[in-house]
Amino acid sequence: MLAQAVGLWDIIVVLIYLLLVVYLGILGYMRTKSAADYLIAGRQVHPFVMAMSYGATFISTSAIVGFGGVAGLFGMSLLWLTFCNIFVGIFLAFVFIAPRTRMMGHHLDAHTFPEFLGRRFESRFIQVFAGTVIFLFIPLYAAAVLIGGSVFVAKSFNMEYPTALLLFSVIIAAYVIVGGLKGVMYSDALQGSIMFIGMFALLIYGYVKVGGVIEGHQKLSALAPLVPGKLSAIGHRGWTAMPAFGWGDRQYDLWWTVIGTIVLGVGIGVLAQPQLVVRFMTVKSRRELNRAVLIGGVFILVMTGVAFTVGALSNAYFSEHGAPLSGRVVKMLDAEKGLGVLQIMKKGDTGVWADVPEKIAPVKLFGQAVDRTEIDGQPVEIRQGRSISIVYAGGTADEIIPTYIVSAMPKWFGLLFLLTLLSAAMSTLSSQFHTVGTSIGRDVYEQITGAHGASTNITRIGIIIGIIYAVIISFYARESTFIARATSIFFGLCASAFLPSLLGAIYFRRMTKAGAIWSMLIGFIITAFWLLLVKAKEAESMRLVQWITGGKTSILADCPNWDVVDPLLVALPVSFLAAIVVSALTQPPSKEHLDKCFKGI
């Protein structure tokens, strides 16, 4: 396995890759002559570079490792997110948002997403508020990406997670601080190409490992009885089936998690991602955007579709080829298919078998009894079995894809996938940290101090602060599904706070400064309130509700389904309503300003 033997060629290939990235960063630095070059790549980016940069920034280790692992938990229902990513994140974004954003951004000479909103609505407050929100919360998303890359690096090179995290962060910092957006986008194009090749190869190997497309799906469907009890209770009906749909009962929680939080939260949130919207302003004409649609669509299909498919199929692989487990059968689900539930056991120093606390594995059993011993005088039959990926990966969804790659794939593929994940993480993180820096430098520092055009050093300091902030989060936040949850939180926050203002800016001439401000504030406040007090998983982490109520995880814990509803489903409609109502009640922008903004649109 790759984790047990890192050869000379592995090191050479990784070094060559890193040298290419450094070269592209230096190339970006040499071609960065102005603020426009550093912030929006001089508005002269080739459509292939823009499309691959957009896709590589969009798809990161959070999608491949985090959401791929969640697909290992919840199954192929996550493929609806792939559909949403392509339809909303590529088609709607490039056809209906990108052209107007590009042209209006040119008219307003906007270099960042907050600056675009601030100049459209003639509001310094909007620019500073948006820049502050981005600076404070994008490191949460960056942490999710860092964890995904660092987990795989640690597993691949057999090093401790903190060491991998530190090494990974230093590499990211080195070239994003130097190269500006030109260096970032050049690197993205290379990294996106590597990602495409790696994920396409993973799809082929993934199906080969389970006997082909049809047989693999049949095997996965047959494992439905092995769905763990906790997942079955919230509506999990198997890895090839949609969760149970309904309202008012705990058996529908999973549907609202998968569709409400994952599919809609991430699928809609992509439209208002600051690091993605700014890429629309890097091309010189609409033709480049049109040419980028097909490239971006195919790229997203392969990236997310493969990750979610292979994540689910890992259950079929581990049920036949996973590490053997020993224990006592506590429940037979299907004797003919050899499906059962095993209480995992281990032999102590004295040679006596004992149960592993709280470790019950749904398994595919094989072989005969391999041992007989006694616990408290009672005979126990020990059988062998192989678990599904949830148990094999130690119960942590973020470990499923790295464990599968290291266990199932040949060594050379492990190296290719390592480059794929390095590319996915570095392409997204570089853009995230570039956005963090420009937010605090151009959007906050310049607006507050009035020192326009003098924020490059502040921007780079902001990048360093953002990296440190993200590394700290990555070090402490290691609970199961954190990657997917952190990504969903940031995407949902951006949609609720920024999407109504963005759409109003490019389509609604009557949208006013007050309407945009109230929309952003209400979207942000409702999202924060919901995460702190209502959404059980996040509220439990904050512990505010437990302190107030003396034990509950959510103020709506007694109202089934409400405590798993995503903030986006509440905050976004109210945010849109606020934008429309307040705009209708306040003075419209001047005709001269609107003519400037909408010239040629």
Side-chain angles (χ1 to χ4, degrees):
M1 292 189 300
L2 187 61
Q4 296 176 337
V6 180
L8 178 62
W9 281 108
D10 300 345
I11 299 174
I12 290 174
V13 170
V14 172
L15 286 177
I16 291 174
Y17 164 76
L18 293 177
L19 287 173
L20 277 173
V21 171
V22 170
Y23 166 74
L24 292 172
I26 295 173
L27 186 64
Y29 175 78
M30 294 175 63
R31 295 184 178 181
T32 298
K33 307 298 183 183
S34 65
D37 287 335
Y38 190 85
L39 299 173
I40 52 175
R43 304 189 196 272
Q44 298 292 322
V45 172
H46 189 277
F48 174 81
V49 174
M50 197 280 287
M52 294 303 285
S53 178
Y54 181 94
T57 301
F58 183 6
I59 303 302
S60 65
T61 55
S62 69
I64 299 171
V65 175
F67 287 91
V70 170
L73 288 177
F74 300 153
M76 292 190 173
S77 56
L78 259 73
L79 287 172
W80 280 106
L81 177 57
T82 297
F83 169 79
C84 206
N85 283 338
I86 295 172
F87 180 71
V88 177
I90 298 296
F91 177 72
L92 293 185
F94 276 69
V95 174
F96 294 100
I97 294 179
R100 287 173 174 250
T101 302
R102 182 199 65 80
M103 188 173 292
M104 192 175 290
H106 284 213
H107 296 334
L108 297 173
D109 194 29
H111 295 74
T112 68
F113 177 67
E115 186 173 59
F116 174 82
L117 293 179
R119 292 189 175 184
R120 163 62 177 87
F121 294 111
E122 300 177 285
S123 170
R124 179 182 298 179
F125 172 82
I126 286 179
Q127 185 172 350
V128 172
F129 176 77
T132 303
V133 169
I134 291 167
F135 177 75
L136 291 177
F137 290 96
I138 217 175
L140 178 67
Y141 179 25
V145 180
L146 271 176
I147 292 172
S150 301
V151 165
F152 191 80
V153 169
K155 189 171 288 290
S156 298
F157 289 99
N158 199 25
M159 64 176 65
E160 294 295 323
Y161 172 78
T163 304
L165 176 63
L166 179 62
L167 176 65
F168 205 52
S169 304
V170 169
I171 293 171
I172 299 293
Y175 82 97
V176 69
I177 293 174
V178 173
L181 194 58
K182 277 192 174 181
V184 168
M185 293 188 73
Y186 292 158
S187 301
D188 285 351
L190 167 67
Q191 292 160 343
S193 302
I194 294 173
M195 289 164 62
F196 187 89
I197 295 170
M199 294 303 287
F200 193 77
L202 177 61
L203 178 65
I204 296 174
Y205 258 92
Y207 275 117
V208 168
K209 289 294 182 179
V210 293
V213 176
I214 296 176
E215 186 173 351
H217 284 260
Q218 289 175 340
K219 289 178 180 179
L220 191 60
S221 297
L223 294 178
L226 292 184
V227 172
K230 289 183 178 180
L231 290 179
S232 179
I234 60 174
H236 198 313
R237 299 189 295 183
W239 288 273
T240 56
M242 285 293 294
F245 169 70
W247 180 262
D249 192 286
R250 288 298 174 197
Q251 65 175 319
Y252 307 128
D253 276 359
L254 186 58
W255 191 94
W256 288 98
T257 298
V258 171
I259 301 301
T261 298
I262 296 176
V263 175
L264 295 181
V266 177
I268 295 175
V270 67
L271 292 177
Q273 289 293 292
Q275 72 276 19
L276 297 180
V277 172
V278 74
R279 274 156 175 72
F280 300 148
M281 296 187 280
T282 64
V283 295
K284 60 183 178 181
S285 72
R286 179 165 184 162
R287 183 180 65 176
E288 278 75 14
L289 292 172
N290 294 336
R291 292 166 62 187
V293 172
L294 180 61
I295 300 171
V298 173
F299 182 83
I300 299 299
L301 174 63
V302 172
M303 291 298 104
T304 61
V306 171
F308 303 160
T309 299
V310 172
L313 285 173
S314 66
N315 291 287
Y317 172 81
F318 285 124
S319 71
E320 295 184 341
H321 306 288
L325 301 174
S326 295
R328 53 180 174 180
V329 180
V330 297
K331 184 178 181 181
M332 282 298 294
L333 301 175
D334 191 328
E336 292 184 0
K337 294 182 178 179
L339 304 179
V341 177
L342 199 74
Q343 171 64 56
I344 300 176
M345 306 181 75
K346 65 179 179 180
K347 189 176 290 187
D349 296 335
T350 60
V352 178
W353 287 89
D355 292 341
V356 176
E358 299 181 357
K359 198 64 174 179
I360 297 178
V363 298
K364 192 169 185 178
L365 301 171
F366 66 96
Q368 301 298 317
V370 296
D371 192 9
R372 278 186 177 276
T373 187
E374 289 186 352
I375 296 179
D376 296 330
Q378 298 297 319
V380 175
E381 184 177 24
I382 308 299
R383 288 183 177 269
Q384 288 186 316
R386 291 192 174 99
S387 73
I388 54 178
S389 61
I390 299 172
V391 178
Y392 184 64
T396 304
D398 298 341
E399 294 277 349
I400 290 177
I401 293 295
T403 302
Y404 173 77
I405 297 298
V406 173
S407 303
M409 299 292 116
K411 181 181 176 181
W412 69 265
F413 183 85
L415 179 59
L416 173 62
F417 197 75
L418 172 62
L419 293 182
T420 299
L421 284 191
L422 281 172
S423 299
M426 293 175 71
S427 59
T428 300
L429 287 167
S430 61
S431 298
Q432 290 171 332
F433 291 135
H434 182 268
T435 303
V436 166
T438 57
S439 295
I440 199 66
R442 189 174 184 89
D443 299 316
V444 177
Y445 174 80
E446 287 191 13
Q447 294 304 306
I448 292 177
T449 64
H452 298 290
S455 64
T456 301
N457 289 333
I458 300 298
T459 294
R460 287 174 172 150
I461 293 172
I463 291 173
I464 295 172
I465 294 173
I467 291 173
I468 295 172
Y469 182 14
V471 169
I472 292 173
I473 297 173
S474 304
F475 184 78
Y476 289 102
R478 295 300 316 283
E479 59 189 275
S480 182
T481 71
F482 174 80
I483 294 177
R485 286 170 50 212
T487 303
S488 299
I489 288 172
F490 182 72
F491 273 59
L493 173 64
C494 286
S496 300
F498 302 142
L499 186 56
S501 297
L502 174 61
L503 294 180
I506 60 178
Y507 276 102
F508 188 24
R509 293 174 66 95
R510 187 60 177 77
M511 182 89 162
T512 66
K513 176 172 73 173
I517 290 174
W518 278 103
S519 171
M520 294 170 68
L521 289 175
I522 288 176
F524 176 81
I525 291 170
I526 293 178
T527 299
F529 170 83
W530 207 265
L531 291 173
L532 285 172
L533 301 175
V534 179
K535 189 134 188 247
K537 197 70 176 178
E538 282 67 39
E540 184 180 11
S541 300
M542 304 296 179
R543 299 190 177 277
L544 181 60
V545 177
Q546 288 97 316
W547 179 72
I548 295 174
T549 64
K552 290 184 178 181
T553 58
S554 164
I555 60 174
L556 297 180
D558 298 326
C559 305
N561 305 138
W562 276 109
D563 58 351
V564 296
V565 168
D566 194 75
L568 173 91
L569 301 181
V570 178
L572 185 58
V574 179
S575 180
F576 267 115
L577 183 63
I580 295 170
V581 172
V582 174
S583 293
L585 298 175
T586 51
Q587 188 70 24
S590 67
K591 184 178 183 301
E592 293 76 16
H593 178 67
L594 290 177
D595 288 343
K596 176 184 177 182
C597 293
F598 286 89
K599 181 181 178 182
I601 298 178

